[in-house]
């Protein structure tokens, strides 16, 4: 469905762009990982770009929250009088990307965003910029990113960024015109990368970092036009081209066709003979003069050197054989922290201090995202490690990774329990695999599907068998929720008004009513019309008294041999969650 376009590049446009870019990278993440062959074929470029933008999104949302906006609120949510200024928003975007940058491409993307912010935040009091301002921002982004790389190589994301800026300079018009020109310039440059870099031509693919930047620029086009741009071919001249749009129909197969995704990685990446053994990344608090010396020191130690940032805070990325020397150079320059050292092909050997827990890992664990304290208790009693998702505050991938680490198991089954978390969960799974954990992601869309999966979990059977059984149980569970509309909106069931009671079945609005109990009963009848053996009701704190008793009685009277179980979910956002198995 087309989005409402933005006319100018203001704070809301920045917020929209960041959200769309995160979604585009989430959809393309596996594809980008698969074509990652330069500078090291470690298959993580898509994941690193996703995590970098996720950090930028979190920072932007924090700025809007400080001005009273709801997390993730969309168009038409207010007059905009209390929105943050453009300067504050782009600085937050750039800072979030800087502190969350991962890998070579993520670090360069952070500098691209910082370069844009330097132009867009130049006037502290401006509310928005136009096409001319966007042209300048894209130019500064490309130039500053190239300057941040010690030895720029053509056929990489740097070439794609420069081509985008060049094309934007030739475009006359509004932000939409400039964004579209930049996107087309980047897309053309991406297709040319195999001819510029032998390793890409040999593999028959385009540059992975450049592909990610094209996705980000495609999101910029969608921000200003309301429509996603054309698809992108990801293979080069010798491979079989895969074409994927930067935006896709979000209608997905229903729960009955759930599949377990990526149970384990394909093994370590192969290193180029003679290449550095370690990737070293850290944040550094240091003066500009000290960073100049640091660049030279690290350039002598290794390659793929990228140092981005400024104003006392820097993100340092380098490939070396002597990881200790790279960290020592940072200590001499200032105060390094968030140190991350990865031995190519062997996962993390050092993360924030790097001491491994002394206790033995358990064999298997379940990690689940749950929407309320009551469900968190239920899942915990069943043996799961939980991540609490408060209403309007979806957890980031880092929180899921920390939960996997807390579980301290060799094998982990991950239950996101929300369709909107599928990309976040997939990125978290990739990070956990880098830690040596075997992870299966079961894309559950609701907590009631997670309950069904957890009910058949048996840690003593083979991992593959357990995942298949849990996936089957989740897939056989239809899910629904009853909630109150916050504003007028178009739905599959017609137009709803603020305060209407909505009944959503499998993610789509199926019933619009005025009474919670009556709407819930209508939803339940729709679900049981297709059959069922067990009804699960999860009550939120604000559910009216007697709704559970009414629904239980209805099931007993109208549906033979159907059992009902009721749980208290706490502050879960929805008034009522319903599952039918």
């Amino acid at each position: 469905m087309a989005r409402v376009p933005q006319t100018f590049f203001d704070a809301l446009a920045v917020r929209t762009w960041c959200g769309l870019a995160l979604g585009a990278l989430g959809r393309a993440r596996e594809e980008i990982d698969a074509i990652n062959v330069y500078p090291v074929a470690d298959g993580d470029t898509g994941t690193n770009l996703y995590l970098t933008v996720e950090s930028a999104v979190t920072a932007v949302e924090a700025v809007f929250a400080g001005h009273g906006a709801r997390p993730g609120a969309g168009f038409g949510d207010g007059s905009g009088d209390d929105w943050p200024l453009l300067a504050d928003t782009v600085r937050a975007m750039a800072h979030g990307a800087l502190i969350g940058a991962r890998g070579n491409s993520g670090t360069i993307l952070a500098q691209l965003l910082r370069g844009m912010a330097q132009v867009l935040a130049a006037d502290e009091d401006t509310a928005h910029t136009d096409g001319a301002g966007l042209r300048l921002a894209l130019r500064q982004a490309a130039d500053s990113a190239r300057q941040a790389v010690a030895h720029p190589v053509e056929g990489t994301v740097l070439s794609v960024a420069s081509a985008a800026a060049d094309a934007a300079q030739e475009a006359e018009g509004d932000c939409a015109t400039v964004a579209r020109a930049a996107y087309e310039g980047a897309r053309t440059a991406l297709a040319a990368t195999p001819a510029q870099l032998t390793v890409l031509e040999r593999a028959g693919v385009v540059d992975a970092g450049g592909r990610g930047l094209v996705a980000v620029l495609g999101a910029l086009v969608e921000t200003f036009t309301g429509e996603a741009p054309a698809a992108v071919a990801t293979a080069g001249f010798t491979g079989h081209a895969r074409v994927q749009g930067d935006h896709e129909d979000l209608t997905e197969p229903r729960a009955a066709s759930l599949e377990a995704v990526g149970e384990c990685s394909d093994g370590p990446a192969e290193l180029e003979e003679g290449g550095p053994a370690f990737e070293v990344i850290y944040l550094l608090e240091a003066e500009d003069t000290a960073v100049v010396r640091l660049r030279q020191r690290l350039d002598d130690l290794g390659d793929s050197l990228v140092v981005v940032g400024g104003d006392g805070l820097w993100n340092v990325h380098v490939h070396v054989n002597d990881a200790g020397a790279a960290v020592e150079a940072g200590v001499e320059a200032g105060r390094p922290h968030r140190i991350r050292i990865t031995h190519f092909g062997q996962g993390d050997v050092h993360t924030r201090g790097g001491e491994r827990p002394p206790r033995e890992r358990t064999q298997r664990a379940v990690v689940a995202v749950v929407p309320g304290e009551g469900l968190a208790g239920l899942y915990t009693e069943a043996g799961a490690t939980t991540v609490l998702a408060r209403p309007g505050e979806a957890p980031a991938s880092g929180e899921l990774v920390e939960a996997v680490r807390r579980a301290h198991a060799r094998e982990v089954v991950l239950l996101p329990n929300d369709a909107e978390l599928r990309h976040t969960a997939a990125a978290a799974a990739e990070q956990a695999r880098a830690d040596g954990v075997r992870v299966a992601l079961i894309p559950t869309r609701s907590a009631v599907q997670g309950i069904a999966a957890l009910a058949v979990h048996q840690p003593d059977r083979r991992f593959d068998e357990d995942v298949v059984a849990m996936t089957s149980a989740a897939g056989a569970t239809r899910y629904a929720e009853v909630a109150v509309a916050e504003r007028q909106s178009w739905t599959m069931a017609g137009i709803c008004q603020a305060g209407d009671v909505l009944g959503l079945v499998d993610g789509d609005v199926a019933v619009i009513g005025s009474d919670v109990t009556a709407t819930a009963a209508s939803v339940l009848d729709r679900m049981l019309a297709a059959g069922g053996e067990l009804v699960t009701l999860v009550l939120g704190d604000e559910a009216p008294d007697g709704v559970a008793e009414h629904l239980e009685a209805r099931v007993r009277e109208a549906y033979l041999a159907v059992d009902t179980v009721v749980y208290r979910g706490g502050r879960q956002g929805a008034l009522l969650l319903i599952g039918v198995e």
Side-chain angles (χ1 to χ4, degrees), residues 539-574:
L539 300 176
D541 277 349
E542 297 182 4
D545 294 337
V547 63
E549 291 78 3
H550 178 84
L551 296 177
E552 284 185 286
R554 187 177 187 86
V555 171
R556 282 196 305 269
E557 295 168 3
Y559 302 97
L560 298 177
V562 177
D563 295 323
T564 304
V565 59
V566 180
Y567 301 110
R568 294 282 175 179
R571 294 175 296 170
Q572 61 185 22

Side-chain angles (χ1 to χ4, degrees), residues 204 232-244:
V232 177
T234 59
F237 303 115
T238 61
H240 296 288
R242 293 176 57 194
V243 178
Q244 177 167 325

Side-chain angles (χ1 to χ4, degrees), residues 424-497:
T424 300
E430 283 298 317
Q431 292 181 81
R433 292 179 189 124
D435 288 343
V437 181
R438 189 182 187 192
V439 182
L441 169 60
I442 300 178
T444 47
R445 292 176 168 86
S446 170
V448 292
Q449 288 187 326
I451 292 172
L454 202 55
V456 300
H457 169 55
Q458 294 183 18
D460 56 346
R461 63 183 163 196
R462 291 179 60 248
F463 185 61
D464 293 345
E465 293 176 354
D466 199 28
V467 171
V468 168
M470 295 176 72
T471 301
S472 178
T477 303
R478 299 189 70 198
Y479 65 98
E481 67 176 79
V482 178
V484 176
E486 295 182 351
R487 58 187 180 276
Q488 184 186 63
S489 180
W490 290 88
T491 76
M492 296 289 290
I495 301 176
C496 71
Q497 305 296 329

Side-chain angles (χ1 to χ4, degrees), residues 57 72 213 235 347 382 497:
V57 168
L213 179 58
Q497 305 296 329

